[in-house]
Amino acid sequence: MQAYRSPATTFSRLGAIEDASGILGWDMQTLMPDGASDMRGEQLATLSVLAHEILTSQKTADALAEAEEEVAALGEWERANLREMRRTYIHASAVPGDLVEASSKAATRSEMAWREARKQGDFAMLAPHLAETLRLQRQIGEAKGAVLGLSPYDALLDGYDPGMRQARIDALFATLRATLPDLLARVQARQAALAPAVPLPGRFPVESQKQLGLTLMRAAGFDFERGRLDVSLHPFCGGATDDVRITTRYDEADATRALMGVMHETGHALYEQGRPAAWRHQPVSQARGMSLHESQSLLIEMQACRSREFVDFLAPRLREAFGGDGAAWEADNVYRLYTRVEPGFIRVDADEVTYPAHILLRYELETAMVAGDLTVADLPGAFNEGMKRLLGLTVTNDREGCLQDIHWPGGSFGYFPTYTLGAMGAAQLFAAACEALPGIRPALAQGDFSGLCGWLRENVHAKGSLLQTDELFVAATGKPLGAEDFLAHLERRYAADAAVA
């Protein structure tokens, strides 16, 4: 065990640096004045380089090698932690420090340019910054791929979803491509045969939306002693260990967006707050990849909070929060509003049936960009063509087109597929939880998430990265990640004659 303690100490220091970067990154997207962006970029880049130097030093390499010589004497968690240390080391050591620094600075500049470009609806303002970010991310993918024996895209993807590969995503997404168009047509035909749902009338003050969101967060089990809710241009979950920061954005003309956005980010936060405390600042304590992380946010938002049972709890609280009266505020109508299927331009506002099309498009585009088959200059046209092909929508400005997401400006190539992989995982895990604990659905009608969150904490959150992704799914659900439960869920909720799931 003596040799193991040395890399464990190093990785504990690295975890503290990552936490500091997390808080600086949260501040950059919430409170930081625009004039501080250059200096913030320098700060984040310095921390990235410092962490990279520590991680890739000869001292760390030697310590890992010595610890691996006594792996047989380690316990299950120590062995898994050592495995994750090695994986982290390989990813980092494959990339030169100057490339890490250049990429961090480029991403910061690109993010700030994206903010203004999105505001103006002018892609040309972002294009040169995005091109530089893409160039550097491609270099990172090539460097990692050369060491890992992977394509550049698979190497980038592995950083977000360990073990996931483009070939597997292609197969899973092919199932969606083959199934979803017919499902969407049937759902829209079913909706057209019903009287239209009545929009909730009136103005929805931001403070009232915030207070209701806080109420729902508490119901779901969010720990406000170790977290907080704020506002940002693009909702996210960030922060640091034991300091989980989530954000949303408000629209006084529509209360539903912010509320479901809050619950989506709460799902992420519950995962972060439920990670194994005994392994704090060690790689094995980290969430097991972004597909699993997205499964937790979508399980809370889509599986639980858009269920018919939960809407019975939500509807009277909507009435109370906004002074509503009449049929529009009844649970039946609110449920129909929350499960309305209609193709739209904005990914984060999309319903469950059309959301995968947004991801299929972005996946097509980012794989092409990383492969060098699509230039940044051609991105707006390719994006608009894909929206027409997949959703039948004509994009009229870049704000509702390729400028709507922060991911590519921030250098997150390989992240987008994890959203729909997460939707698949959410359906699979929720089905297993409800089978194991039949009282979960009735409890949601009382605003009681304790059974669901207890099951998730035991089977997902507290596992950290002890298990590989498919090992975790097999242990929790009896099978690897697949599309079957997700498609069955969509069929029940949206296409069945008495859709109430």
Side-chain angles (χ1 to χ4, degrees):
M1 290 289 290
Q2 184 63 38
Y4 168 82
R5 292 191 184 97
S6 177
T9 300
T10 297
F11 276 85
S12 181
R13 292 178 63 202
L14 290 169
I17 294 173
E18 183 178 349
D19 279 350
S21 296
I23 295 299
L24 287 173
W26 167 86
D27 177 76
M28 183 173 72
Q29 296 189 52
T30 53
L31 300 174
M32 186 193 77
D34 289 347
S37 62
D38 287 345
M39 184 55 66
R40 183 57 48 84
E42 291 286 344
Q43 294 160 357
L44 288 168
T46 297
L47 289 176
S48 293
V49 172
L50 176 61
H52 187 267
E53 288 175 347
I54 294 172
L55 180 54
T56 60
S57 68
Q58 189 60 48
K59 179 180 178 181
T60 299
D62 292 343
L64 282 173
E66 290 177 15
E68 287 167 342
E69 290 180 359
E70 58 179 39
V71 65
L74 300 177
E76 179 186 26
W77 280 88
E78 286 87 0
R79 290 196 303 273
N81 196 34
L82 190 57
R83 179 198 72 213
E84 293 303 303
M85 290 181 192
R86 173 59 70 181
R87 179 182 170 277
T88 304
Y89 172 80
I90 290 173
H91 267 270
S93 62
V95 185
D98 58 351
L99 180 54
V100 172
E101 182 175 16
S103 177
S104 177
K105 290 181 178 179
T108 299
R109 290 192 296 269
S110 190
E111 280 192 32
M112 298 308 295
W114 167 78
R115 292 188 188 190
E116 189 61 30
R118 187 176 184 275
K119 188 186 304 180
Q120 301 294 332
D122 184 1
F123 180 76
M125 298 175 67
L126 172 65
H129 301 283
L130 179 58
E132 177 67 1
T133 298
L134 171 61
R135 184 182 71 83
L136 294 170
Q137 285 299 308
R138 189 183 291 126
Q139 287 185 17
I140 289 173
E142 290 168 351
K144 289 184 176 183
V147 174
L148 295 168
L150 301 173
S151 71
Y153 186 80
D154 273 348
L156 294 173
L157 177 65
D158 193 75
Y160 297 108
D161 206 349
M164 184 57 69
R165 301 292 179 258
Q166 185 175 352
R168 186 170 182 201
I169 295 175
D170 287 343
L172 289 168
F173 283 9
T175 301
L176 300 185
R177 289 180 190 279
T179 305
L180 289 178
D182 173 69
L183 175 62
L184 176 59
R186 288 188 288 114
V187 170
Q188 289 183 301
R190 178 181 174 275
Q191 287 183 165
L194 302 172
V198 181
L200 298 181
R203 175 179 163 272
F204 305 96
V206 167
E207 185 58 28
S208 298
Q209 292 188 55
K210 178 182 177 181
Q211 292 305 316
L212 181 55
L214 292 172
T215 296
L216 298 185
M217 290 171 68
R218 291 188 186 95
F222 184 91
D223 182 357
F224 282 96
E225 292 295 313
R226 298 187 296 138
R228 55 182 290 139
L229 170 68
D230 292 281
V231 177
S232 68
L233 182 62
H234 192 98
F236 69 95
C237 175
T241 304
D242 288 337
D243 186 3
V244 181
R245 314 286 182 92
I246 73 170
T247 70
T248 191
R249 57 187 178 198
Y250 297 103
D251 180 354
E252 291 200 336
D254 182 358
T256 62
R257 291 181 180 182
L259 286 177
M260 286 299 121
V262 163
M263 298 316 292
H264 179 96
E265 301 305 335
T266 295
H268 282 305
L270 293 174
Y271 193 0
E272 289 297 314
Q273 292 182 335
R275 292 191 289 112
W279 296 91
R280 183 181 284 105
H281 281 162
Q282 292 298 318
V284 76
S285 78
Q286 297 298 311
R288 186 60 195 171
M290 288 314 302
S291 290
L292 200 57
H293 226 310
E294 291 302 334
S295 80
Q296 298 309 285
S297 60
L298 292 169
L299 193 154
I300 296 298
E301 178 199 359
M302 293 295 187
Q303 298 291 324
C305 290
R306 293 183 193 262
S307 69
R308 185 62 177 81
E309 292 87 352
F310 181 77
V311 172
D312 283 341
F313 170 79
L314 175 63
R317 285 155 183 81
L318 282 170
R319 285 198 303 271
E320 180 181 357
F322 302 112
D325 187 28
W329 300 87
E330 295 300 323
D332 285 344
N333 187 68
V334 172
Y335 179 72
R336 291 183 59 195
L337 289 173
Y338 270 114
T339 56
R340 176 73 181 173
V341 173
E342 184 175 3
F345 293 103
I346 307 303
R347 175 186 62 85
V348 296
D349 296 332
D351 57 79
E352 284 187 283
V353 179
T354 62
Y355 189 97
H358 290 268
I359 299 305
L360 292 174
L361 172 58
R362 287 156 175 79
Y363 175 65
E364 287 178 8
L365 298 177
E366 71 176 18
T367 53
M369 283 192 285
V370 172
D373 297 330
L374 177 66
T375 67
V376 167
D378 291 331
L379 177 60
F383 190 100
N384 297 351
E385 184 278 327
M387 288 288 282
K388 184 70 173 179
R389 169 169 46 87
L390 292 170
L391 288 170
L393 300 174
T394 300
V395 177
T396 58
N397 65 77
D398 290 335
R399 188 184 298 108
E400 64 184 18
C402 63
L403 282 176
Q404 63 182 274
D405 296 305
I406 197 174
H407 301 64
W408 293 331
S412 297
F413 290 85
Y415 193 119
F416 273 123
T418 68
Y419 287 116
T420 289
L421 295 172
M424 296 177 186
Q428 192 165 318
L429 290 166
F430 189 68
C434 291
E435 182 177 354
L437 300 172
I440 283 177
R441 283 185 174 275
L444 290 174
Q446 307 302 318
D448 180 1
F449 285 74
S450 59
L452 175 60
C453 288
W455 189 91
L456 290 172
R457 189 138 294 180
E458 177 183 352
N459 290 280
V460 180
H461 304 168
K463 299 296 185 183
S465 286
L466 175 66
L467 304 175
Q468 305 278 13
T469 303
D470 269 336
E471 290 176 344
L472 187 147
F473 273 102
V474 170
T477 73
K479 58 188 177 183
L481 176 64
E484 298 82 6
D485 287 300
F486 176 58
L487 292 172
H489 158 72
L490 295 181
E491 189 74 31
R492 284 192 306 270
R493 176 173 285 179
Y494 297 99
D497 290 339
V500 294

